[in-house]
Amino acid sequence: MQEKLREIQKNAKKQLENVKNQEELEKLRIELFSKKGALTAIMREMGAVAPEDRPKMGALANTVREELEGEFAQIKQKLNATAQEAKIIAEKIDVTMPGARRPLGKIHPLKQVERELCDIFLAMGFTVVSGPEVERDYYNFTALNIPENHPARDDHDTFYITDEILLRTQTSPVQIRVMEQKKLPIRIIAPGRVYRSDAVDATHSPIFHQIEGLVVDRGITMGNLKGCLEEFIRQLYGEDVKTRFRPHHFQFTEPSAEMDIACPKCEGKGCSVCKGEGWIEILGAGMVHRDVLLRCDINPDEYSGFAFGLGLERIAMRRFRINDLRLFHENDVRFLHQF
Ligand code: DAH
């Protein structure tokens, strides 16, 4: 038995020296120490040993077992350390290597133009405000002198959500919301999206953008309106561009006008850019209607104001020579990166 024990110990030591990884070690552990293992088997033979030799044999068997267990633990630790080291080497990263580039986006051409226009008005002392795109019928129409059943509503092809709630067809309702707050004097612009149920083509889109302007103070005149808007056009298109005001009709301004610029290509003679007109319409404007002021609880005998509204898409299309409105909404980065 003694020889057998020594034999097991010698073999185990030899095998342990050659163990390369945790799996091999585990296999060896089972071969030795498990219920069917060599050391367990030999302990069962203890019954065959003469009773006087048993204590000695038992002690020897325990020593062998303990020694082997100690060696197992040591090898296990060594293997663990090697595995850890290998893992660190495998996961090593070179922090000096260039990273993966994220493609940079660009500011959308409509947003670029909106910012440019806002900057011009900001420099004149205007404040930028915004209003809801989902709007009440009252603000979009009624408060702007367009009562129910008024034919002017037909021009707007409105998206209704309920009888009372709609997608705003113009930024003009922001005028009412600002005047209702009655923090006078008022000098605001309100850029934003507007909606009309138009079929999509090169010049029509159910979503487009406007910038609204409103000034209310004591003694505001048509002269202020013209001066302000002419200065705006000079900043946008240069000192020399010719402008004209044409009488027009809007429900919420009286008098009302449209402002044109002389066609920059033909300078008024008429060409394909201005469709033979010689002039290009830029915006609608007028003096805020008395009834609109009254509805907002502003005394029209004490205060007066002017308002204007312009479409962003047309300005951006001319600026960037874009001939199809649909391109703005297609989100094709190849298109967007040109501007
Ligand atoms: N809201 C008008 C439209 O969408 C544009 C407009 C005209 C706005 C005259 C104004 C204004 O503030 O005074 O057609």
Side-chain angles (χ1 to χ4, degrees), residues 304-322:
S304 55
F306 69 80
F308 56 90
L310 54 86
L312 264 189
E313 272 79 357
R314 281 171 54 186
I315 294 178
M317 284 169 89
R318 268 197 305 279
R319 156 74 41 94
F320 296 121
R321 296 179 192 283
I322 293 164

Tab-separated table of all heavy atoms in Angstrom, residues 304-322:
chain	number	residue	atom	x	y	z
A	304	SER	N	-50.444	101.804	-31.907
A	304	SER	CA	-50.602	101.309	-33.274
A	304	SER	C	-49.428	100.366	-33.548
A	304	SER	O	-48.460	100.331	-32.784
A	304	SER	CB	-50.617	102.465	-34.270
A	304	SER	OG	-49.454	103.259	-34.122
A	305	GLY	N	-49.531	99.647	-34.649
A	305	GLY	CA	-48.443	98.701	-34.914
A	305	GLY	C	-48.392	98.279	-36.360
A	305	GLY	O	-49.321	98.542	-37.128
A	306	PHE	N	-47.284	97.671	-36.732
A	306	PHE	CA	-47.221	97.060	-38.059
A	306	PHE	C	-46.815	95.593	-37.931
A	306	PHE	O	-46.228	95.197	-36.913
A	306	PHE	CB	-46.301	97.834	-39.018
A	306	PHE	CG	-44.823	97.770	-38.710
A	306	PHE	CD1	-44.050	96.657	-39.081
A	306	PHE	CD2	-44.175	98.850	-38.092
A	306	PHE	CE1	-42.680	96.630	-38.835
A	306	PHE	CE2	-42.809	98.819	-37.837
A	306	PHE	CZ	-42.061	97.706	-38.210
A	307	ALA	N	-47.180	94.858	-38.976
A	307	ALA	CA	-46.872	93.424	-38.972
A	307	ALA	C	-46.401	93.031	-40.356
A	307	ALA	O	-46.678	93.719	-41.335
A	307	ALA	CB	-48.110	92.616	-38.586
A	308	PHE	N	-45.672	91.947	-40.409
A	308	PHE	CA	-45.263	91.422	-41.716
A	308	PHE	C	-45.063	89.911	-41.613
A	308	PHE	O	-44.895	89.369	-40.516
A	308	PHE	CB	-43.978	92.098	-42.223
A	308	PHE	CG	-42.808	91.988	-41.272
A	308	PHE	CD1	-41.925	90.913	-41.346
A	308	PHE	CD2	-42.590	92.959	-40.308
A	308	PHE	CE1	-40.841	90.820	-40.473
A	308	PHE	CE2	-41.521	92.860	-39.429
A	308	PHE	CZ	-40.643	91.791	-39.509
A	309	GLY	N	-45.140	89.280	-42.770
A	309	GLY	CA	-44.932	87.835	-42.798
A	309	GLY	C	-44.252	87.457	-44.093
A	309	GLY	O	-44.611	87.968	-45.149
A	310	LEU	N	-43.245	86.592	-43.987
A	310	LEU	CA	-42.567	86.184	-45.218
A	310	LEU	C	-42.309	84.685	-45.221
A	310	LEU	O	-42.240	84.044	-44.172
A	310	LEU	CB	-41.269	86.979	-45.403
A	310	LEU	CG	-40.238	86.989	-44.283
A	310	LEU	CD1	-39.313	85.801	-44.400
A	310	LEU	CD2	-39.437	88.279	-44.350
A	311	GLY	N	-42.214	84.145	-46.429
A	311	GLY	CA	-41.976	82.709	-46.575
A	311	GLY	C	-40.486	82.436	-46.699
A	311	GLY	O	-39.784	83.070	-47.479
A	312	LEU	N	-40.012	81.480	-45.904
A	312	LEU	CA	-38.572	81.182	-45.894
A	312	LEU	C	-38.110	80.398	-47.114
A	312	LEU	O	-37.026	80.630	-47.646
A	312	LEU	CB	-38.236	80.341	-44.661
A	312	LEU	CG	-37.734	81.044	-43.428
A	312	LEU	CD1	-37.265	80.000	-42.426
A	312	LEU	CD2	-36.580	81.971	-43.780
A	313	GLU	N	-38.924	79.458	-47.559
A	313	GLU	CA	-38.490	78.564	-48.639
A	313	GLU	C	-38.084	79.341	-49.885
A	313	GLU	O	-37.070	79.046	-50.515
A	313	GLU	CB	-39.604	77.574	-48.989
A	313	GLU	CG	-39.589	76.301	-48.153
A	313	GLU	CD	-40.186	76.500	-46.766
A	313	GLU	OE1	-40.565	77.650	-46.435
A	313	GLU	OE2	-40.275	75.517	-46.008
A	314	ARG	N	-38.907	80.322	-50.244
A	314	ARG	CA	-38.615	81.036	-51.493
A	314	ARG	C	-37.312	81.815	-51.402
A	314	ARG	O	-36.554	81.893	-52.364
A	314	ARG	CB	-39.782	81.940	-51.854
A	314	ARG	CG	-40.895	81.105	-52.480
A	314	ARG	CD	-42.156	81.853	-52.674
A	314	ARG	NE	-41.972	83.090	-53.426
A	314	ARG	CZ	-42.937	83.983	-53.623
A	314	ARG	NH1	-44.131	83.778	-53.127
A	314	ARG	NH2	-42.699	85.080	-54.305
A	315	ILE	N	-37.062	82.372	-50.213
A	315	ILE	CA	-35.797	83.094	-50.040
A	315	ILE	C	-34.611	82.132	-50.117
A	315	ILE	O	-33.612	82.386	-50.779
A	315	ILE	CB	-35.809	83.874	-48.703
A	315	ILE	CG1	-36.880	84.971	-48.789
A	315	ILE	CG2	-34.438	84.468	-48.392
A	315	ILE	CD1	-37.037	85.790	-47.539
A	316	ALA	N	-34.775	80.979	-49.462
A	316	ALA	CA	-33.685	79.981	-49.470
A	316	ALA	C	-33.465	79.417	-50.868
A	316	ALA	O	-32.332	79.189	-51.288
A	316	ALA	CB	-34.009	78.854	-48.488
A	317	MET	N	-34.555	79.206	-51.614
A	317	MET	CA	-34.423	78.645	-52.965
A	317	MET	C	-33.666	79.588	-53.879
A	317	MET	O	-32.827	79.171	-54.674
A	317	MET	CB	-35.808	78.328	-53.547
A	317	MET	CG	-36.409	77.063	-52.948
A	317	MET	SD	-38.132	76.836	-53.357
A	317	MET	CE	-37.991	75.919	-54.882
A	318	ARG	N	-33.971	80.890	-53.730
A	318	ARG	CA	-33.225	81.848	-54.567
A	318	ARG	C	-31.780	81.943	-54.112
A	318	ARG	O	-30.858	81.965	-54.923
A	318	ARG	CB	-33.892	83.223	-54.500
A	318	ARG	CG	-34.912	83.445	-55.599
A	318	ARG	CD	-35.219	84.909	-55.735
A	318	ARG	NE	-35.658	85.479	-54.468
A	318	ARG	CZ	-36.895	85.380	-54.004
A	318	ARG	NH1	-37.824	84.763	-54.706
A	318	ARG	NH2	-37.227	85.891	-52.847
A	319	ARG	N	-31.589	81.986	-52.795
A	319	ARG	CA	-30.248	82.114	-52.256
A	319	ARG	C	-29.334	80.987	-52.726
A	319	ARG	O	-28.203	81.184	-53.129
A	319	ARG	CB	-30.350	82.136	-50.716
A	319	ARG	CG	-29.115	81.708	-49.932
A	319	ARG	CD	-28.019	82.757	-49.956
A	319	ARG	NE	-28.576	84.094	-49.798
A	319	ARG	CZ	-28.687	84.732	-48.664
A	319	ARG	NH1	-28.259	84.187	-47.575
A	319	ARG	NH2	-29.213	85.933	-48.630
A	320	PHE	N	-29.838	79.762	-52.663
A	320	PHE	CA	-28.992	78.603	-52.970
A	320	PHE	C	-29.250	78.035	-54.368
A	320	PHE	O	-28.759	76.961	-54.685
A	320	PHE	CB	-29.221	77.510	-51.920
A	320	PHE	CG	-28.807	77.921	-50.524
A	320	PHE	CD1	-29.722	77.922	-49.488
A	320	PHE	CD2	-27.504	78.305	-50.251
A	320	PHE	CE1	-29.348	78.292	-48.203
A	320	PHE	CE2	-27.117	78.665	-48.968
A	320	PHE	CZ	-28.047	78.666	-47.942
A	321	ARG	N	-30.073	78.734	-55.148
A	321	ARG	CA	-30.423	78.258	-56.505
A	321	ARG	C	-30.966	76.828	-56.471
A	321	ARG	O	-30.500	75.936	-57.197
A	321	ARG	CB	-29.209	78.317	-57.440
A	321	ARG	CG	-28.706	79.718	-57.670
A	321	ARG	CD	-27.489	79.704	-58.571
A	321	ARG	NE	-26.848	81.017	-58.543
A	321	ARG	CZ	-27.308	82.069	-59.194
A	321	ARG	NH1	-28.391	81.993	-59.937
A	321	ARG	NH2	-26.676	83.230	-59.106
A	322	ILE	N	-31.917	76.626	-55.595
A	322	ILE	CA	-32.575	75.320	-55.504
A	322	ILE	C	-33.890	75.437	-56.274
A	322	ILE	O	-34.648	76.374	-56.056
A	322	ILE	CB	-32.854	74.968	-54.026
A	322	ILE	CG1	-31.530	74.756	-53.284
A	322	ILE	CG2	-33.744	73.735	-53.916
A	322	ILE	CD1	-31.653	74.773	-51.781
